[in-house]
Amino acid sequence: MTLPPLLIVTDRHGAARPLTETVRAAVAGGARFVWLRDRDLDRDARRDLARDLTALLEPVGGRLVVGGDADLAAETGAQGVHLPGSTGIDGIRAARTALGAAALIGFSAHSIAEIAAAAAAGADYATLSPIFPTASKPGYGPALGLDSLRAAAVHGVPVFALGGIDGGNARACREAGAAGVAVMGGVMRGSDPRDATGRFVAALT
């Protein structure tokens, strides 16, 4: 399975405009893969948001994964689910059973051992973080660096570098073996999400 090299991670708290509008601008800039995070929303609001984002992505062949809720992914027509590391291997297998073979199952990893476990459990992709120092991931220890991406690549599951990704290091992540990069603040908090997305897409392709 070939995935777009840019995974946009939502964060409505950092956005200067409504989240749907930020994602609409990102899609206009070339985004084709979005992870609906925002897990502090109540379920009804999150369901409506997932449906809105799915509708934005469908016309361009894009994909939406819903963070941590396979049932909500199924209910809203999203293409899959992105699971937190705390769910472990059993969570990946349960999501596969619930959503079927065609669904995208992603996993948040913070070590090479977790990448290996996710691959063995049948995840379609994983994020690995933090690759670089980042204000968004203060609780996950020191930055793992590009060497971690080289080590992760041998396990055969597409790995997206997450944490401290910007226009200056995105290409280096790919050159180190990452399938792509996952970006939150660089698009969500920018004054021009369309332009920011376009710059990432250009750096990655």
Side-chain angles (χ1 to χ4, degrees):
M1 178 186 302
T2 302
L3 294 170
L6 177 62
L7 173 56
I8 302 291
V9 187
T10 69
D11 174 23
R12 73 188 193 287
H13 297 298
R17 55 184 68 71
L19 184 58
T20 303
E21 294 308 307
T22 303
V23 174
R24 187 191 308 277
V27 169
R32 299 294 182 264
F33 190 17
V34 177
W35 165 11
L36 173 57
R37 204 159 168 262
D38 292 274
R39 293 187 66 181
D40 58 327
L41 282 170
D42 69 59
R43 198 172 193 281
D44 287 348
R46 210 159 175 246
R47 181 183 62 233
D48 292 344
L49 189 52
R51 285 177 172 154
D52 288 345
L53 298 188
T54 298
L56 284 177
L57 286 158
E58 274 180 347
V60 296
R63 294 163 169 161
L64 180 74
V65 289
V66 175
D69 193 332
D71 291 338
L72 192 63
E75 185 181 342
T76 57
Q79 282 68 46
V81 65
H82 187 104
L83 300 171
S86 58
T87 59
I89 291 174
D90 291 341
I92 294 172
R93 291 176 175 151
R96 179 66 69 202
T97 300
L99 295 177
L104 272 178
I105 310 294
F107 183 78
S108 291
H110 304 289
S111 69
I112 304 304
E114 288 180 342
I115 291 288
D124 293 298
Y125 74 92
T127 55
L128 182 60
S129 68
I131 300 302
F132 302 109
T134 170
S136 302
K137 293 271 183 185
Y140 290 106
L144 298 171
L146 293 174
D147 284 345
S148 69
L149 296 174
R150 297 183 183 98
V154 306
H155 292 288
V157 65
V159 173
F160 286 77
L162 173 63
I165 307 297
D166 60 33
N169 59 34
R171 184 184 292 274
C173 292
R174 291 219 66 186
E175 290 171 349
V181 301
V183 175
M184 186 167 66
V187 170
M188 290 288 118
R189 299 187 191 112
S191 59
D192 189 342
R194 177 176 179 164
D195 180 67
T197 301
R199 289 175 185 271
F200 275 113
V201 171
L204 293 165
T205 54

